[in-house]
């Protein structure tokens, strides 16, 4: 919170001096005394709210700040601090209203813009959050907190390279910024640079020995390195305390099932959830973790209850009409077929693995990447970036996809070269390269224009299993449909209709790989897959779980073990809960 500026009498100045020197209890007494003398002293009310917030008394802070804005609606500091207090109390919706009101009074406050970005981020309004962070940085180019927060948003949106650049910029401005060191380590861990991640987390811990999230992150790195006992050894001294930090409980929930300590992990999460001042995001993550633990224990009623509670905490608005219009515009443009510009002879090295999330895309890519002639590039955002960037890049009257008929072949050539330069640099001369971004199914029309020689592997799984598995995972803001079964059914039907449309109008080769067929007939299905991709059979593809590569998706555990049948018809365990979903899909 930001202290109010005031040319008040001696007592107010005394309270401000006490606040700035960290003597919060004494400052509280001064401002409370001023309010007793004059209940309409809006500046004293505002500062009382700031002091209460600093003392962790958020309810009292909110009350004082509401009184301040009621007394003086033009008090910028009071609106600003009220918005911050509401954000700290887990009320981002009302925080937005207050912070926007503050900006009406002072539009050039970087800290207000930064806090408004945080509120938008919690609400899943990623574009609005990014706009606020960038405005804050433009007003104050030496604002490490805004750089760090924009980095967090980019990480949410899987723009990991950009996130890393922003964290490094924050650290250049403030080399002792613990959160930025921690977040840099998170990006490094996500990209498989485990030793670099450990260095960053240890730096955060050196700067702040009480940085419990860094302890949890170090344990998570060990877990991803399959050093399970070492991971648990880092965490258990913190697990046995009366107050278990959410980060510690979440890290322990990942490793505990490996060591047959699931019950202890459930107990730790329950202890962490009962604490005050847990953020909505932490609460949601712990609910998902409890659902996963109970599911692994075969306690399906308890599991579904936790998954449902976690999803009910999400505030990601989903409007099916918006997505339907997007899909309809794609169909309208690419129905023109030969009238669209198209390259020839490009993309023969590319294999695009697409489908709904949780449909087996990670398994298929791992099988392909086990072949000595294939490089598995993972989930790349290159195609979606090309699509979203066209409007500002070329002199066209429309954005994507409406701009496609206006493009010249040399412009397509520029896009194709840019994408291929990036992936070929990663692939070290391999014959084939996979791009496993599931939602590239939206952009198959563009893929066909840029890379007509590419192959598309479309992964399918039982629709109810697919949707339920999405519902059980804590997906980021790119998946607003994921938190409601009705939204999942709507989105799944639209996805399937779009895929059927692509198959009817595009001549790019597409093969359907059914997850259940891969489980039941692994070798036969794998042989068909390799043949489609123009690859000779290789026995390593049957032992894909032995392939040493980084998998960044929620399926990283599954692809590090042989094919198993536990995920086939998994929805039957939850049959009494998913009747409406089954009806909507079938």
């Amino acid at each position: 919170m930001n202290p109010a500026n005031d040319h008040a009498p001696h007592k107010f100045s005394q309270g401000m001096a006490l606040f700035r020197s960290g003597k919060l209890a004494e400052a509280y007494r001064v401002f409370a005394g001023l309010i007793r003398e004059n209940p309409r002293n809006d500046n004293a009310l505002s500062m009382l709210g700031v002091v209460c917030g600093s003392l962790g008394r958020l309810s009292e802070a909110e009350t004082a700040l509401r009184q301040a804005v009621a007394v003086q609606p033009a008090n910028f500091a009071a609106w600003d601090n009220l918005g911050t207090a509401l954000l700290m109390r887990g009320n981002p919706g009302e925080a937005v209203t207050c912070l926007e009101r503050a900006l009406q009074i002072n539009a050039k406050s970087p800290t207000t813009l930064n806090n408004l970005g945080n509120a938008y981020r919690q609400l899943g309004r990623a574009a609005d959050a990014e706009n606020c962070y960038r405005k804050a940085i433009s007003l104050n180019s030496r604002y490490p907190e805004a750089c760090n927060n924009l980095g967090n948003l980019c990480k949410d949106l899987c723009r990991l390279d950009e996130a890393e650049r922003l964290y490094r910029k924050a650290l250049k401005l403030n080399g002792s910024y613990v959160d930025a060191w921690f977040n840099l380590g998170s990006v490094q861990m996500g990209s498989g640079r485990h030793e670099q991640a450990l260095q960053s987390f240890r730096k955060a811990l050196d700067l702040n020995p009480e940085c419990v999230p860094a302890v949890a992150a170090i344990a998570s790195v060990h877990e991803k390195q399959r050093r399970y006992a070492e991971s648990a050894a880092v965490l258990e001294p913190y697990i046995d305390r009366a107050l278990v930090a959410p980060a510690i409980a979440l890290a322990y929930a990942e490793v505990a099932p490996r060591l047959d300590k699931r019950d202890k992990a459930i107990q730790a999460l329950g202890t962490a959830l009962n604490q005050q001042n847990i953020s909505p995001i932490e609460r949601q993550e712990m609910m998902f973790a409890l659902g996963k633990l109970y599911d692994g224990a075969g306690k399906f009623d308890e599991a579904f209850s936790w998954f449902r509670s976690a999803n009910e905490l999400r505030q990601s608005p989903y409007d099916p009409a918006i997505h339907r219009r997007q899909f309809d515009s794609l169909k309208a443009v690419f129905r023109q077929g030969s009238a669209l510009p198209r390259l020839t002879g490009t993309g023969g090295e590319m294999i695009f693995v697409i489908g709904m999330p949780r449909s087996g895309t990670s398994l298929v890519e791992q099988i392909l990447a086990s072949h000595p002639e294939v490089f598995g590039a993972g989930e790349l955002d290159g195609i979606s970036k090309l699509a979203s960037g066209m409007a500002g890049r070329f002199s066209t009257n429309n954005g994507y996809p409406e701009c496609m008929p206006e493009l010249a072949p040399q412009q397509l050539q520029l896009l194709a070269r840019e994408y291929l330069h990036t992936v070929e640099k990663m692939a070290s001369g391999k014959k084939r390269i996979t791009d496993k971004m599931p939602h590239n199914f939206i952009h198959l029309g563009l893929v066909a224009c840029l890379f007509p020689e590419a192959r598309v592997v479309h992964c399918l799984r039982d629709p109810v299993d697919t949707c339920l598995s999405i519902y059980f995972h804590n997906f980021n803001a790119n998946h607003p449909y994921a938190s409601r079964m009705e939204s999942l059914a709507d989105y799944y039907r639209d996805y399937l209709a779009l895929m059927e449309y692509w198959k009817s109008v595009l001549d790019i080769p597409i093969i359907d790989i059914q997850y259940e067929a891969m489980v039941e007939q692994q070798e036969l299905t794998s042989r068909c897959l390799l043949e489609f991709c123009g690859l000779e059979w290789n026995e390593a593809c049957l032992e894909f779980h032995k392939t040493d590569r980084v998998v960044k998706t929620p399926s990283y555990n599954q692809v590090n073990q042989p094919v198993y049948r536990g995920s086939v018809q998994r929805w039957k365990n939850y049959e009494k809960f998913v009747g409406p979903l089954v009806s909507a899909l079938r």
Side-chain angles (χ1 to χ4, degrees):
M1 295 186 179
N2 299 319
N5 293 317
D6 195 277
H7 301 290
H10 173 69
K11 269 193 173 179
F12 190 92
S13 299
Q14 181 187 14
M16 292 297 298
L18 290 166
F19 172 78
R20 289 177 177 132
S21 63
K23 297 176 180 178
L24 300 180
E26 293 93 329
Y28 177 91
R29 284 192 290 271
V30 171
F31 292 123
L34 282 169
I35 293 162
R36 281 194 299 273
E37 294 171 9
N38 177 11
R40 294 185 61 80
N41 186 334
D42 60 300
N43 287 321
L45 284 164
S46 180
M47 277 309 305
L48 183 67
V50 173
V51 172
C52 289
S54 301
L55 289 167
R57 294 153 61 174
L58 297 179
S59 177
E60 196 174 345
E62 181 182 341
T63 299
L65 290 162
R66 286 190 186 279
Q67 291 173 352
V69 298
V71 169
Q72 177 49 271
N75 188 323
F76 162 76
W79 282 113
D80 189 31
N81 291 320
L82 177 56
T84 306
L86 289 164
L87 192 59
M88 293 167 70
R89 296 201 73 192
N91 188 353
E94 200 170 356
V96 164
T97 302
C98 296
L99 293 166
E100 287 178 341
R101 182 69 179 269
L103 286 169
Q104 289 173 5
I105 301 168
N106 178 9
K108 294 188 175 181
S109 169
T111 55
T112 310
L113 284 161
N114 179 60
N115 286 332
L116 182 57
N118 291 339
Y120 281 140
R121 180 180 169 225
Q122 287 192 26
L123 291 170
R125 294 169 59 177
D128 291 326
E130 182 166 356
N131 184 44
C132 286
Y133 293 139
R134 292 197 185 280
K135 280 184 180 177
I137 294 167
S138 70
L139 290 167
N140 180 3
S141 61
R142 301 188 63 79
Y143 192 177
E145 289 80 10
C147 294
N148 178 69
N149 290 334
L150 180 55
N152 289 338
L153 181 69
C154 290
K155 186 171 69 172
D156 291 346
L157 300 173
C158 300
R159 290 153 48 185
L160 300 184
D161 290 345
E162 189 174 356
E164 182 167 346
R165 285 195 297 272
L166 285 158
Y167 296 142
R168 292 191 182 280
K169 181 178 178 181
L171 289 167
K172 188 174 181 180
L173 294 169
N174 179 4
S176 299
Y177 191 0
V178 174
D179 285 354
W181 278 113
F182 174 82
N183 291 326
L184 175 61
S186 297
V187 168
Q188 291 166 331
M189 181 169 68
S191 62
R193 291 172 285 159
H194 293 144
E195 293 306 316
Q196 291 180 33
L198 284 172
Q199 290 177 18
S200 296
F201 293 138
R202 285 170 180 152
K203 179 67 174 178
L205 205 55
D206 288 343
L207 289 166
N208 178 12
E210 300 301 315
C211 183
V212 174
V215 175
I218 289 168
S220 294
V221 173
H222 294 327
E223 188 269 334
K224 285 180 169 50
Q225 293 174 320
R226 306 183 199 180
R227 294 153 57 183
Y228 304 123
E230 192 171 344
S231 175
V234 170
L235 296 167
E236 284 179 343
Y238 295 84
I239 291 291
D240 295 331
R241 295 179 181 179
L243 295 177
V244 181
I248 295 290
L250 286 164
Y252 197 66
E254 286 296 320
V255 72
R258 301 282 189 177
L259 303 170
D260 198 24
K261 295 183 178 182
R262 188 178 275 109
D263 289 344
K264 190 171 183 177
I266 288 172
Q267 183 180 358
L269 285 165
T271 301
L273 269 173
N274 286 330
Q275 296 174 44
Q276 298 298 316
N277 299 328
I278 303 277
S279 75
I281 291 174
E282 288 174 324
R283 191 170 296 279
Q284 181 179 303
E285 288 175 340
M286 288 191 285
M287 288 175 171
F288 274 112
L290 279 165
K292 185 177 177 181
L293 288 168
Y294 277 113
D295 177 80
K299 297 179 179 179
F300 302 118
D301 288 7
E302 293 94 329
F304 192 84
S305 176
W306 284 112
F307 286 133
R308 179 167 51 202
S309 296
N311 279 292
E312 286 172 353
L313 275 183
R314 289 181 187 271
Q315 300 191 52
S316 298
Y318 173 71
D319 185 349
I322 293 174
H323 287 268
R324 207 158 288 143
R325 284 196 296 272
Q326 179 193 14
F327 289 4
D328 287 345
S329 66
L330 288 164
K331 293 175 185 177
V333 168
F334 287 97
R335 189 175 289 119
Q336 300 176 46
S338 59
L340 296 174
R342 177 186 170 104
L343 300 179
T344 58
T346 56
E349 66 270 57
M350 292 307 306
I351 303 169
F352 291 94
V353 182
I354 62 162
M356 285 290 285
R358 311 299 298 158
S359 63
T361 54
S362 293
L363 173 61
V364 165
E365 185 185 46
Q366 184 77 350
I367 290 168
L368 288 169
S370 300
H371 195 286
E373 295 181 330
V374 177
F375 176 78
E379 296 186 354
L380 304 177
D381 61 0
I383 297 297
S384 62
K385 278 186 173 179
L386 293 181
S388 62
M390 282 188 196
R393 186 167 187 170
F394 302 123
S395 299
T396 66
N397 297 321
N398 300 292
Y400 178 83
E402 288 79 8
C403 68
M404 286 299 294
E406 304 172 38
L407 298 186
Q410 57 267 31
Q411 291 172 318
L412 287 187
Q413 192 72 49
L414 179 66
L415 296 175
R417 277 203 307 268
E418 181 179 302
Y419 174 87
L420 290 175
H421 174 73
T422 300
V423 296
E424 287 171 353
K425 191 166 57 175
M426 301 163 58
S428 304
K430 293 290 182 77
K431 180 179 179 181
R432 297 280 185 266
I433 307 167
T434 62
D435 179 341
K436 189 204 78 72
M437 179 59 77
H439 276 77
N440 276 340
F441 75 79
I442 295 172
H443 301 301
L444 280 193
L446 177 60
V447 168
C449 289
L450 295 177
F451 309 116
E453 301 301 314
R455 296 161 174 83
V456 177
V457 179
H458 175 215
C459 297
L460 287 157
R461 182 184 175 192
D462 178 281
V464 185
D465 275 338
T466 302
C467 290
L468 198 62
S469 188
I470 293 171
Y471 187 74
F472 287 174
H473 276 79
N474 190 13
F475 279 103
N476 61 33
N478 288 330
H479 306 269
Y481 56 86
S483 59
R484 300 287 181 272
M485 289 199 182
E486 299 81 3
S487 302
L488 274 163
D490 274 342
Y491 192 85
Y492 190 92
R493 288 195 303 266
D494 291 342
Y495 136 78
L496 210 56
L498 183 61
M499 280 305 306
E500 291 304 313
Y501 176 77
W502 290 136
K503 291 175 186 177
S504 71
V505 300
L506 302 180
D507 57 6
I508 190 171
I510 301 174
I511 187 174
D512 289 339
I513 294 292
Q514 191 73 33
Y515 174 79
E516 291 79 6
M518 183 65 75
V519 170
E520 296 299 329
Q521 297 178 302
Q522 181 188 352
E523 182 172 346
L524 176 62
T525 309
S526 298
R527 285 182 179 275
C528 291
L529 173 64
L530 293 180
E531 182 180 354
F532 171 78
C533 294
L535 297 164
E536 297 291 330
W537 173 249
N538 191 289
E539 292 291 331
C541 296
L542 287 179
E543 297 189 310
F544 60 86
H545 54 284
K546 296 180 180 178
T547 299
D548 186 19
R549 60 183 289 267
V550 175
V551 178
K552 305 172 189 176
T553 69
S555 302
Y556 77 93
N557 273 328
Q558 288 93 320
V559 300
N560 286 326
Q561 57 184 298
V563 164
Y564 67 104
R565 291 173 171 76
S567 293
V568 175
Q569 293 287 287
R570 183 188 181 196
W571 70 269
K572 294 281 189 181
N573 297 324
Y574 298 94
E575 192 163 6
K576 64 183 176 182
F577 301 109
V578 297
L581 177 64
V582 174
S583 299
L585 288 169
R586 295 187 174 172

